Amino acid sequence: GAGVSQSPRYKVAKRGQDVALRCDPISGHVSLFWYQQALGQGPEFLTYFQNEAQLDKSGLPSDRFFAERPEGSVSTLKIQRTQQEDSAVYLCASSFFRAAVYEQYFGPGTRLTVT
Amino acid sequence: GIQVEQSPPDLILQEGANSTLRCNFSDSVNNLQWFHQNPWGQLINLFYIPSGTKQNGRLSATTVATERYSLLYISSSQTTDSGVYFCASAGGTSYGKLTFGQGTILTVHP
């Protein structure tokens, strides 16, 4: 079946612009995660949804970052007033979340460049 | 939170060689995954292995949860194995939030 999809794949924003990144998880997956990957680093957790509820947003770096999943499927990560340090690849992952199994599947990512 | 360390940071091999990548984690885990990140940035699932041993073709993995480490074995390496290998683990939450290591950059020469 279809995997996790993300759009756009590439985004160039001028400093100060707002951006919105979309994630379509695998159908039926309850859990959805956002991660941020800086160049040369491993991905770092941003936020977690179980269905439409945002249960953990401890990794969001500032109040300029906002995520939503209003119907428990598609999710949007929004970054307001982008800064150069926001340049990174933003990865979305989903998981079925059945008991004692937490395997996550990742989308291709959105590469954000802030100029 | 949990900490994950991978070694070696870089590995250069000739095609056909075998290799072992190591992942140490600081606490008990309910999720341990190995990924291969290809040149286009896609994270490809290799193994979901919070404990035990699994094999898939030329790749195999072992996690010894009681000793807090996991190993990824690559046999008869091919140039297409090149890329970054990440270990990621989760513990302390009910939903499997992953903490990634810094990765091992593997280069396989023909």
Side-chain angles (χ1 to χ4, degrees):
Chain A
V4 179
S5 61
Q6 293 186 244
S7 61
R9 292 293 315 280
Y10 304 91
K11 177 69 178 178
V12 178
K14 291 186 177 178
R15 190 172 57 183
Q17 283 185 332
D18 298 349
V19 298
L21 313 180
R22 177 187 169 105
C23 172
D24 282 85
I26 293 172
S27 178
H29 276 196
V30 169
S31 295
L32 187 146
F33 301 80
W34 285 97
Y35 294 84
Q36 179 190 58
Q37 186 174 20
L39 189 64
Q41 305 293 318
E44 293 189 350
F45 170 81
L46 293 177
T47 189
Y48 165 69
F49 289 87
Q50 184 174 329
N51 295 306
E52 69 279 4
Q54 188 175 21
L55 299 185
D56 187 344
K57 53 182 181 179
S58 61
L60 296 176
S62 78
D63 59 6
R64 296 185 296 103
F65 286 70
F66 172 75
E68 60 183 5
R69 193 185 185 198
E71 297 179 358
S73 178
V74 170
S75 177
T76 304
L77 177 67
K78 298 179 179 178
I79 309 173
Q80 297 176 326
R81 304 180 304 281
T82 53
Q83 304 294 315
Q84 283 193 316
E85 60 263 29
D86 300 334
S87 295
V89 176
Y90 291 85
L91 296 165
C92 175
S94 70
S95 171
F96 189 61
F97 189 52
R98 58 185 181 273
V101 178
Y102 305 90
E103 185 171 11
Q104 292 181 33
Y105 298 86
F106 282 77
T110 294
R111 183 176 298 277
L112 173 65
T113 303
V114 181
T115 61
Chain B
I2 197 165
Q3 296 181 19
V4 179
E5 293 184 357
Q6 291 186 242
S7 60
D10 298 275
L11 188 57
I12 300 174
L13 302 174
Q14 287 296 127
E15 202 167 28
N18 302 329
S19 61
T20 301
L21 283 59
R22 185 177 178 103
C23 172
N24 293 332
F25 43 92
S26 62
D27 208 339
S28 58
V29 298
N30 55 27
N31 183 0
L32 191 294
Q33 292 186 242
W34 283 97
F35 299 92
H36 177 210
Q37 190 162 44
N38 66 21
W40 297 271
Q42 174 76 55
L43 281 168
I44 299 167
N45 289 40
L46 297 178
F47 294 102
Y48 171 79
I49 188 165
S51 64
T53 297
K54 292 185 177 180
Q55 182 159 7
N56 184 3
R58 297 182 296 103
L59 302 182
S60 63
T62 295
T63 297
V64 183
T66 53
E67 298 187 20
R68 300 181 182 169
Y69 72 88
S70 183
L71 301 174
L72 177 69
Y73 305 96
I74 305 174
S75 64
S76 304
S77 58
Q78 301 176 357
T79 56
T80 51
D81 294 332
S82 295
V84 185
Y85 288 79
F86 285 106
C87 165
S89 65
T93 68
S94 63
Y95 53 85
K97 171 176 91 174
L98 290 174
T99 299
F100 283 75
Q102 290 293 92
T104 293
I105 302 173
L106 175 64
T107 304
V108 181
H109 291 300

